[in-house]
Amino acid sequence: FYSGVFPTVNNAEVSIKDTDSNTVYQFANVGNGDFTNELFQPEIGGNYQLTVVYNNETYTATSTLLSSPEILTVNQKDDGGFGGDSYEITFIFQDDANEENYYFLQVISPADNLLGVADDQLTNGNILNDLYIFDKEDLKPGDTLNHSITSISKQYHQYLSKLLYISENSGNPFASPMGTIKGNIVNQTNQSNFALGYFHIAKRNQYTYTVK
């Protein structure tokens, strides 16, 4: 059944290891399932391992911090959409031609929280356009759009693609999928008791745009 309430874990041991320097950062629980460490400052290109000990079982996952492109400019079209009565807002960024890139994209408007993924398989090295269409009933001049772009791994892109596909086709983003989607978190103690979710360290670039 659908529920907007999710259980949190507060009695776990959480740490992240910088596997390049072998430095281990212990994270302290601050309630509501959140764990923090103000000294942890990951670096671009660094490799990190998450370890969570919970109910006498140990979970691990690894991630590499990737750099993310910055928004170069934003274009606004006031007569967009099929009927010419919608806003078209395009966030523009440069793809790096020297590597294979995958992106997690998000824009938060007063009316919605839109998520998506993209890659550069057909657009390597090009200027890329992240386009959004809004009904004028939902967006007004003076409203702000909070856009973010994050470079992600190919594996995380595949994971998010499956998750977004299921949520879009279920009519309920919290509905249980027919088949469980496994992330990169491995239970080293009991592999049959796997964890849902994905461990990914990201440098997210944000851009705030005011509708004209």
Side-chain angles (χ1 to χ4, degrees):
F1 60 92
Y2 170 74
S3 173
V5 178
F6 303 95
T8 60
V9 173
N10 294 301
N11 57 335
E13 297 176 16
V14 178
S15 64
I16 292 181
K17 179 180 180 179
D18 180 337
T19 57
D20 298 317
S21 66
N22 289 323
T23 303
V24 177
Y25 299 88
Q26 301 291 340
F27 281 66
N29 174 249
V30 293
N32 298 320
D34 294 327
F35 292 77
T36 64
N37 183 319
E38 296 181 356
L39 298 178
F40 180 61
Q41 299 291 332
E43 298 181 353
I44 299 297
N47 299 291
Y48 302 93
Q49 177 179 290
L50 169 72
T51 300
V52 177
V53 180
Y54 177 66
N55 283 347
N56 297 318
E57 295 185 346
T58 300
Y59 302 82
T60 62
T62 59
S63 178
T64 299
L65 180 58
L66 305 176
S67 61
S68 299
E70 296 184 358
I71 296 300
L72 301 176
T73 187
V74 180
N75 290 341
Q76 175 178 327
K77 185 178 180 182
D78 297 342
D79 57 352
F82 293 111
D85 56 356
S86 301
Y87 288 118
E88 288 187 5
I89 311 292
T90 305
F91 296 86
I92 300 170
F93 62 95
Q94 174 70 58
D95 178 73
D96 187 348
N98 297 318
E99 57 190 19
E100 189 176 77
N101 293 294
Y102 299 86
Y103 303 108
F104 176 50
L105 304 160
Q106 179 181 26
V107 66
I108 301 175
S109 75
D112 211 344
N113 182 2
L114 304 172
L115 307 172
V117 291
D119 62 61
D120 66 350
Q121 292 185 10
L122 301 177
T123 55
N124 185 49
N126 292 353
I127 296 289
L128 301 186
N129 299 320
D130 188 24
L131 169 66
Y132 299 88
I133 299 176
F134 298 94
D135 292 335
K136 291 189 176 180
E137 293 80 8
D138 298 328
L139 201 64
K140 306 294 182 183
D143 286 345
T144 57
L145 300 176
N146 294 306
H147 181 275
S148 65
I149 180 170
T150 308
S151 291
I152 59 177
S153 65
K154 181 178 182 179
Q155 293 75 18
Y156 191 32
H157 177 275
Q158 293 170 340
Y159 173 84
L160 288 174
S161 296
K162 294 176 183 177
L163 199 64
L164 291 170
Y165 175 81
I166 289 174
S167 68
E168 290 169 359
N169 288 274
S170 68
N172 170 15
F174 302 107
S176 297
M178 293 297 292
T180 302
I181 301 177
K182 294 183 180 180
N184 65 340
I185 304 174
V186 177
N187 186 331
Q188 302 290 351
T189 308
N190 178 12
Q191 293 193 6
S192 63
N193 184 29
F194 59 88
L196 297 177
Y198 206 99
F199 171 61
H200 179 71
I201 295 182
K203 178 185 182 296
R204 181 174 63 178
N205 282 331
Q206 296 178 299
Y207 191 102
T208 299
Y209 178 74
T210 301
V211 180
K212 300 175 182 177

